[in-house]
Amino acid sequence: PCQVVLGQQDFEAVELNRGEYFPCNRSFNMPYGVTTAGDWLIVADTANSRLIGWHRSQLDWNALHDSPATGVLGQETYRQKGENRSYGSALKDSFCWPYGQQTCGNVVAIADSGNNRVLLWQLEG
């Protein structure tokens, strides 16, 4: 059986954003993709229009269960969720419903579906 869950406090919970209106550094709303890039585990948190990630330094298998993310892309804080950050125009560092992603080394290609584009991001560390 599975040993670790991210996005919920336990294996039985299923509420979007853990039952709250705004997301946090432990919640998802329709995660559609997951990948690794360099030292990061990255999840496309699609309906929150963001990517959130866990750095390898945090990936102790025994402590990973329900651990908070350590990085966010597409939003300025973990508590934001609007398309293109505040339901505005697309920006070079915003998303509108990111779906899939693929990595090559420290480069992440992200399908930014709501903006009809693909973004290439180079990650550090």
Side-chain angles (χ1 to χ4, degrees):
C2 183
Q3 297 169 323
V4 174
V5 64
L6 297 173
Q8 298 291 350
Q9 63 187 13
D10 58 44
F11 291 102
E12 292 78 34
V14 297
E15 293 293 324
L16 64 93
N17 289 331
R18 298 170 76 125
E20 296 183 20
Y21 181 76
F22 288 103
C24 68
N25 60 356
R26 296 176 189 257
S27 68
F28 300 126
N29 186 355
M30 299 173 61
Y32 273 89
V34 62
T35 191
T36 59
D39 291 334
W40 290 90
L41 171 69
I42 302 169
V43 175
D45 187 13
T46 303
N48 285 324
S49 291
R50 66 183 186 170
L51 301 181
I52 62 173
W54 290 259
H55 192 266
R56 183 173 73 170
S57 63
Q58 183 187 1
L59 296 181
D60 171 6
W61 187 257
N62 296 320
L64 185 59
H65 181 84
D66 191 35
S67 65
T70 54
V72 62
L73 295 172
Q75 303 290 356
E76 293 176 340
T77 72
Y78 293 104
R79 300 290 293 169
Q80 292 176 300
K81 68 177 189 170
E83 289 94 354
N84 297 314
R85 283 204 292 275
S86 56
Y87 303 99
S89 299
L91 304 168
K92 71 178 189 174
D93 61 350
S94 71
F95 302 111
C96 180
W97 289 66
Y99 270 75
Q101 68 245 19
Q102 183 65 37
T103 62
C104 181
N106 280 348
V107 175
V108 182
I110 301 144
D112 187 17
S113 65
N115 287 323
N116 300 299
R117 64 186 185 173
V118 172
L119 298 175
L120 301 177
W121 292 61
Q122 181 142 8
L123 299 179
E124 298 176 11

